[in-house]
């Protein structure tokens, strides 16, 4: 904890030295004035939080977050890389309407249904999550049922509130109402991911389209961050900001750029996006009205039409994050019919629709 009277240059040197010497360490700055410039400078130096010098409750909360991070770091180190547990993949879009939840749900069902992996899907969009709706699951249990079990949460308790999908994916749904989200603490989310990582091969997290404390909590244990961008100027701008923030947060996982609705004739190509962001594209998902049609019909495209171009693209990303499942992915790819030209029209979900 660096007090408000410490000069900024000294605070930066001390923070950098502490975090370099011990990656589990966290620096909390107390400042008389807290604004965007101060926060960004602190994050670049490696600080965990910047708190007003008179805000004692915020200081306690920040210290607890550092302690939680250190505990998770120690647990991971003790387990060793070979026994670390599940691969944690967080799907994030800094702008709403980018198809984030559709990608997360189809990714989970491909991993579980086709690749025979044990998969948990966590809906972290606590105020307006739609995973339960898109997967056609009944409104029942949710993460809200775990709010009083933070410290005592174990595999039995977590399994009791998960909703099984026919693909084999287990879903931890978001609360039914937006105001209920306030009851879910970031520490509970960290604990859920920690417990789920010992139960499953993959933990897929559908994040909200903004950086909450809950998102920051899961970033510490995320192996792959699926960062979604669509071919429009606003999405590219917000994605660029997200990449900068991830660098400032010293995110150690893999940042996988996913271009959704690729091929739309709007003047921005995948190459344009990659060059503008100076970041390689991991996955391009083609534009098609079939995805919203599937959602509105209560179906998952990867389940009802595994040979669709969108399903094939998401399957490719599933293989990328799960090398152990690549053999199964190749077998599935060999059995589905090859896609014909995207310019043709076909009958899908009982309607004739254009696939461009």
């Amino acid at each position: 904890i660096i007090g408000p009277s410490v000069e900024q240059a000294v605070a930066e040197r001390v923070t950098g030295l502490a975090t370099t010497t011990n990656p589990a360490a966290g620096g909390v700055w107390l400042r008389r004035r807290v604004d965007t410039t101060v926060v960004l400078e602190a994050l670049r130096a490696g600080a965990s939080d910047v708190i007003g010098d008179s805000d004692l409750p915020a200081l306690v909360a920040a210290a607890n977050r550092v302690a939680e991070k250190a505990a998770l770091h120690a647990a991971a180190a003790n387990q060793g890389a070979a026994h670390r547990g599940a691969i944690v993949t967080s799907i994030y879009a800094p702008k709403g309407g980018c198809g984030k939840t559709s990608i997360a749900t189809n990714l989970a069902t491909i991993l579980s249904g086709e690749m025979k992996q044990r998969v948990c899907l966590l809906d972290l969009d606590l105020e307006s999550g739609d995973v339960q709706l898109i997967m056609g699951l009944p409104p029942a249990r949710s993460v809200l049922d775990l709010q009083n079990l933070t410290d005592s949460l174990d595999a039995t308790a977590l399994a009791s509130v998960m909703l099984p999908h026919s693909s084999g994916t287990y879903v931890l749904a978001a609360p039914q109402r937006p105001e209920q989200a306030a009851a879910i603490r970031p520490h509970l989310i960290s604990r859920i991911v920690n417990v789920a990582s010992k139960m499953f091969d993959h933990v897929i997290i559908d994040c909200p389209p903004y950086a909450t404390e809950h998102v920051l909590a899961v970033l510490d244990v995320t192996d792959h961050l699926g960062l979604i961008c669509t071919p429009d100027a606003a999405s590219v701008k917000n994605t660029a900001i997200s990449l900068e923030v991830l660098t400032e947060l010293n995110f150690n996982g893999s940042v996988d750029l996913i271009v959704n609705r690729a091929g739309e004739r709007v003047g921005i190509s995948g190459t344009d996006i990659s060059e503008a962001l100076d970041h390689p594209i991991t996955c391009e998902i083609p534009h098609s009205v079939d995805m919203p049609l599937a959602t509105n019909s209560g179906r998952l495209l990867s389940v009802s039409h595994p040979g669709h171009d969108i399903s094939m693209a998401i399957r490719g990303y599933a293989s990328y994050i799960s090398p152990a499942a690549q053999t199964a992915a190749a077998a599935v790819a060999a059995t589905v019919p090859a896609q014909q030209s995207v310019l043709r029209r076909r009958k899908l979900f009982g309607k004739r629709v254009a696939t461009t």
Side-chain angles (χ1 to χ4, degrees):
I1 297 175
I2 299 178
S5 62
V6 178
E7 293 183 3
Q8 183 162 317
V10 176
E12 291 175 358
R13 288 198 299 272
V14 171
T15 303
L17 180 61
T19 54
T20 301
T21 305
N22 183 3
V28 180
W29 288 17
L30 298 180
R31 303 283 95 175
R32 294 188 177 91
R33 177 179 57 86
V34 178
D35 57 25
T36 302
T37 301
V38 173
V39 171
L40 287 177
E41 289 172 346
L43 291 176
R44 290 190 183 102
S48 302
D49 275 291
V50 182
I51 305 297
D53 60 354
S54 60
D55 193 347
L56 181 58
L59 174 59
V60 173
N64 285 335
R65 285 193 293 272
V66 171
E68 291 164 10
K69 178 181 178 181
L72 290 173
H73 188 277
N78 290 336
Q79 290 176 356
H83 305 284
R84 195 172 54 84
I87 296 172
V88 179
T89 303
S90 298
I91 305 298
Y92 176 75
K95 177 177 176 289
C98 290
K100 167 183 61 67
T101 301
S102 294
I103 292 172
T105 51
N106 280 277
L107 174 64
T109 54
I110 286 174
L111 284 166
S112 60
E114 296 181 5
M115 300 182 179
K116 308 306 177 186
Q117 301 289 292
R118 298 172 300 168
V119 181
C120 162
L121 175 56
L122 168 60
D123 193 347
L124 195 56
D125 195 345
L126 300 175
E127 293 185 358
S128 55
D130 292 322
V131 167
Q132 183 177 319
L133 174 66
I134 289 179
M135 298 193 77
L137 297 171
R141 301 175 298 278
S142 76
V143 66
L144 190 66
D145 296 307
L146 301 175
Q147 61 178 313
N148 297 320
L149 298 177
T150 300
D151 296 324
S152 59
L153 181 66
D154 57 15
T156 301
L158 182 57
S160 70
V161 300
M162 286 183 168
L163 306 175
H165 184 260
S166 57
S167 66
T169 296
Y170 284 84
V171 174
L172 184 57
Q176 293 295 315
R177 299 183 59 83
E179 65 271 17
Q180 295 172 332
I184 309 302
R185 296 171 52 206
H187 179 47
L188 173 60
I189 299 301
S190 297
R191 179 64 181 164
I192 288 171
V193 176
N194 187 34
V195 173
S197 294
K198 300 173 184 176
M199 300 168 59
F200 298 92
D201 300 314
H202 287 270
V203 177
I204 309 297
I205 303 173
D206 182 23
C207 298
Y210 37 83
T212 64
E213 286 189 81
H214 304 83
V215 173
L216 295 177
V218 301
L219 281 180
D220 288 333
V221 292
T222 293
D223 299 295
H224 290 270
L225 179 67
L227 183 59
I228 300 175
C229 182
T230 53
D232 64 85
S235 179
V236 175
K237 180 205 74 173
N238 290 326
T239 303
I241 294 173
S242 295
L243 287 170
E244 292 177 1
V245 172
L246 288 168
T247 299
E248 291 160 2
L249 290 174
N250 296 314
F251 175 65
N252 293 320
S254 172
V255 180
D256 306 333
L257 181 59
I258 300 174
V259 177
N260 194 24
R261 301 170 190 152
E264 284 188 304
R265 299 184 181 94
V266 293
I268 300 178
S269 67
T271 301
D272 295 331
I273 293 173
S274 180
E275 291 179 351
L277 299 176
D278 192 24
H279 196 90
I281 294 174
T282 301
C283 175
E284 284 193 64
I285 301 174
H287 169 66
S288 173
V289 297
D290 296 343
M291 180 67 96
L293 274 175
T295 301
N296 294 338
S297 301
R299 304 171 184 172
L300 290 171
L301 191 64
S302 60
V303 175
S304 61
H305 291 77
H308 195 285
D309 288 339
I310 291 177
S311 302
M312 301 287 276
I314 298 176
R315 185 176 299 112
Y317 183 57
S319 298
Y320 175 78
I321 66 173
S322 183
Q326 286 183 1
T327 302
V332 172
T335 60
V336 297
Q339 291 288 296
Q340 298 180 17
S341 169
V342 296
L343 296 177
R344 72 183 176 89
R345 299 179 67 86
R346 61 185 155 185
K347 190 172 184 180
L348 186 59
F349 309 126
K351 303 177 181 178
R352 296 193 64 82
V353 298
T355 59
T356 58

